[in-house]
Amino acid sequence: MGTTAFVIIILLVFAALLYGFYWLQKKHYKFSTRVFSALAVGIVFGAILQLIFSADSDVLAEATSWMGIVGNGYVSLLQMLVMPLVFISIVGAFTRLKVSEKLGKIAFNVLATLLGTTAIAAAIGIGSVLLFGLAGTTFTEGAAETARIAELANRQEAIADLTIPEQIVSFIPNNIFSDLAGNRATSTIAVVIFAAFVGVAYLGLRRKKEEDAAFFAKIINSLQSIILRIVTLVLRLTPYGILALMTATVATSDFNAILDLGTFVLASYVALITVFLIHMIILMLFQVSPIRYLKKTFTVLSFAFTSRSSAGALPLNIETQTKALGVDDATANFAASFGLSIGQNGCAGVYPAMLAIMVAPTTGQTIDLAYILLVIAVVVISSFGVAGVGGGATFASLIVLSALNLPVAIVGLVISVEPLIDMARTALNVNDSMLAGVITSKQIGDFNDQLFNDENAVVSSD
């Protein structure tokens, strides 16, 4: 049989699998069950395809390009939602503030938690590299890695010429319409800043022209309802998108390269799990039961793990905080929205810190306490403005490596294991934003213990 015939057969099997998940949806199987099933089926189907054909075969190249309509289309829909979600969620947080005097306390506690845990995450990432002896490690460079390194070199040019103060200034929007379109790497944080200005303006208007402010709040609430309805429609596509993405990823991955990078994957997961356990310890310090917390956050964390999208998880994140964890509306919106672009523990904390320590010895840099503290400081500062949908970890790593005058090639060399690590990184990012919400709500005295202790108060994405 020719290439076209094989491609048609693969796509027919893929279509049958898609129909299978549609049938599960019609039978009202739990969302998390369908998502994890799609993950498992995608891995198995992709592995079978690679065993039959080679990873670089024309058959798989063409078949996965057709699957990309489902997989990449799903990712594009998530990206479409990022800016509207961020803007509406933050402005909505202001309209939900019953007492504006709490604004400063909410913002301070949320940011302190996000940035403080990012510093801890960076330190844990560094410790994991040293524990596994990865400092100075070199990896094999294949065709995919070579192409990625060339791409990264172009992206670094836009970053390398900026000092850290200039990078901070780049967060400030000078054309909000351009940033709403996501035309800059720092567009997400720019939209956050603009939304905060709109929110502050609303609070001022509420004091002077209550009727106009009430009308504006009604518009924002209506827009939020519409956007959340769109999000619901997109979330229903998650099992199909996950199936397509995992099939394509596994079918075209270089398993030998993955095995070569196995120690790095292990070290990454050890670091990410350790940071997650520290999150649980922090909850205990604030007298919040980690076991009950995990039961209530399972749906949103499993979605974040499989979708690899912090932005896609935003609606579930906010709903989980307000309807299951007992966090007040304003704090939940602030924590979830800020967590999309500031202090992501996995993508902007653990990952860039690990890469920086791994590559530093190859330049003759000694890994001592002073250098470790420098890396942690740069990681925390650079953790502003990380995008919430794919590529955030790469952007954060480029900033950190450029600021430390380290080669960026290592970011391209780990491309084959990116999806494996990114799942856990994203779940950790989302968990940190919920942690910030819980802690802040506790600090301002608006945490609903009765709701948190209600075992029936659990959010489902069905």
Side-chain angles (χ1 to χ4, degrees):
M1 281 192 292
T3 298
T4 302
F6 280 121
V7 170
I8 291 173
I9 292 172
I10 291 171
L11 293 179
L12 287 174
V13 174
F14 178 65
L17 292 173
L18 290 177
Y19 179 79
F21 283 100
Y22 175 74
W23 181 84
L24 291 177
Q25 181 180 331
K26 286 295 183 183
K27 291 295 181 180
H28 303 292
Y29 278 76
K30 289 175 63 177
F31 178 78
S32 56
T33 300
R34 287 183 279 123
V35 169
F36 276 109
S37 297
L39 180 70
V41 171
I43 291 172
V44 172
F45 185 39
I48 291 172
L49 290 178
Q50 184 167 149
L51 287 174
I52 298 174
F53 310 96
S54 60
D56 57 353
S57 69
D58 292 338
V59 172
L60 288 188
E62 187 170 346
T64 53
S65 69
W66 281 100
M67 291 181 196
I69 296 174
V70 178
N72 297 331
Y74 170 70
V75 173
S76 295
L77 289 173
L78 289 176
Q79 290 172 330
M80 171 189 75
L81 295 169
V82 174
M83 296 309 176
L85 275 172
V86 171
F87 179 76
I88 291 295
S89 296
I90 292 180
V91 176
F94 282 89
T95 62
R96 286 174 172 78
L97 272 176
K98 293 181 176 65
V99 183
S100 59
E101 286 73 17
K102 288 187 176 182
L103 173 61
K105 197 170 184 179
I106 291 174
F108 174 80
N109 279 280
V110 167
L111 290 174
T113 303
L114 293 173
L115 296 178
T117 51
T118 298
I120 293 172
I124 296 298
I126 291 169
S128 186
V129 168
L130 298 177
L131 176 66
F132 283 86
L134 291 175
T137 301
T138 56
F139 299 118
T140 304
E141 182 178 330
E145 287 76 15
T146 301
R148 180 67 181 275
I149 291 169
E151 176 192 337
L152 292 172
N154 293 331
R155 292 186 65 178
Q156 188 193 24
E157 289 179 7
I159 298 172
D161 294 335
L162 296 178
T163 63
I164 289 182
E166 288 172 334
Q167 290 173 21
I168 294 173
V169 171
S170 72
F171 298 153
I172 300 172
N174 55 22
N175 184 340
I176 190 57
F177 296 103
S178 176
D179 285 321
L180 285 169
N183 290 331
R184 297 191 299 154
T186 55
S187 285
T188 305
I189 188 64
V191 171
V192 167
I193 292 171
F194 178 73
F197 271 100
V198 173
V200 171
Y202 162 80
L203 293 178
L205 186 66
R206 190 170 67 179
R207 287 193 298 270
K208 297 178 180 179
K209 296 183 178 181
E210 191 172 333
E211 198 172 309
D212 289 347
F215 179 69
F216 176 79
K218 189 174 181 179
I219 292 174
I220 292 297
N221 290 336
S222 298
L223 286 173
Q224 190 164 32
S225 297
I226 291 294
I227 290 174
L228 290 179
R229 182 57 189 165
I230 296 173
V231 168
T232 300
L233 297 175
V234 173
L235 291 186
R236 288 178 180 172
L237 302 176
T238 300
Y240 313 109
I242 296 300
L243 173 64
L245 290 170
M246 290 310 302
T247 299
T249 297
V250 175
T252 58
S253 291
D254 184 344
F255 287 156
N256 291 326
I258 292 175
L259 291 175
D260 289 342
L261 290 164
T263 305
F264 173 64
V265 174
L266 178 60
S268 297
Y269 266 84
V270 166
L272 293 166
I273 292 171
T274 301
V275 177
F276 187 82
L277 292 175
I278 289 174
H279 286 181
M280 298 302 103
I281 292 172
I282 293 173
L283 287 173
M284 291 174 63
L285 294 176
F286 282 85
Q287 299 181 325
V288 175
S289 168
I291 295 175
R292 186 170 289 114
Y293 171 89
L294 290 174
K295 287 179 180 178
K296 287 173 172 282
T297 58
F298 177 77
T299 298
V300 62
L301 291 179
S302 61
F303 173 81
F305 183 85
T306 51
S307 69
R308 296 166 52 196
S309 170
S310 300
L314 181 61
L316 274 176
N317 184 338
I318 295 172
E319 190 177 9
T320 299
Q321 289 191 55
T322 56
K323 295 183 179 179
L325 296 179
V327 178
D328 61 285
D329 282 342
T331 299
N333 278 271
F334 267 111
S337 302
F338 279 19
L340 280 185
S341 56
I342 299 172
Q344 292 191 349
N345 282 192
C347 291
V350 170
Y351 193 67
M354 289 184 70
L355 296 185
I357 295 300
M358 286 170 64
V359 77
T362 65
T363 65
Q365 174 64 51
T366 303
I367 307 298
D368 53 19
L369 180 59
Y371 189 73
I372 288 174
L373 292 176
L374 174 63
V375 171
I376 292 173
V378 171
V379 166
V380 171
I381 294 171
S382 302
S383 68
F384 284 84
V386 177
V389 179
T394 298
F395 178 64
S397 299
L398 286 177
I399 293 178
V400 170
L401 295 175
S402 298
L404 294 169
N405 294 315
L406 297 173
V408 299
I410 189 170
V411 181
L413 292 175
V414 296
I415 181 178
S416 55
V417 294
E418 264 283 299
L420 296 176
I421 302 171
D422 197 40
M423 293 187 291
R425 284 192 317 227
T426 306
L428 185 64
N429 295 340
V430 171
N431 191 70
D432 189 48
S433 66
M434 291 190 292
L435 174 71
V438 170
I439 290 176
T440 300
S441 195
K442 278 270 188 180
Q443 291 288 81
I444 66 173
D446 285 343
F447 188 75
N448 188 336
D449 288 284
Q450 185 177 352
L451 180 62
F452 178 77
N453 291 319
D454 183 358
E455 293 185 0
N456 295 319
V458 179
V459 170
S460 171
S461 53
D462 291 315

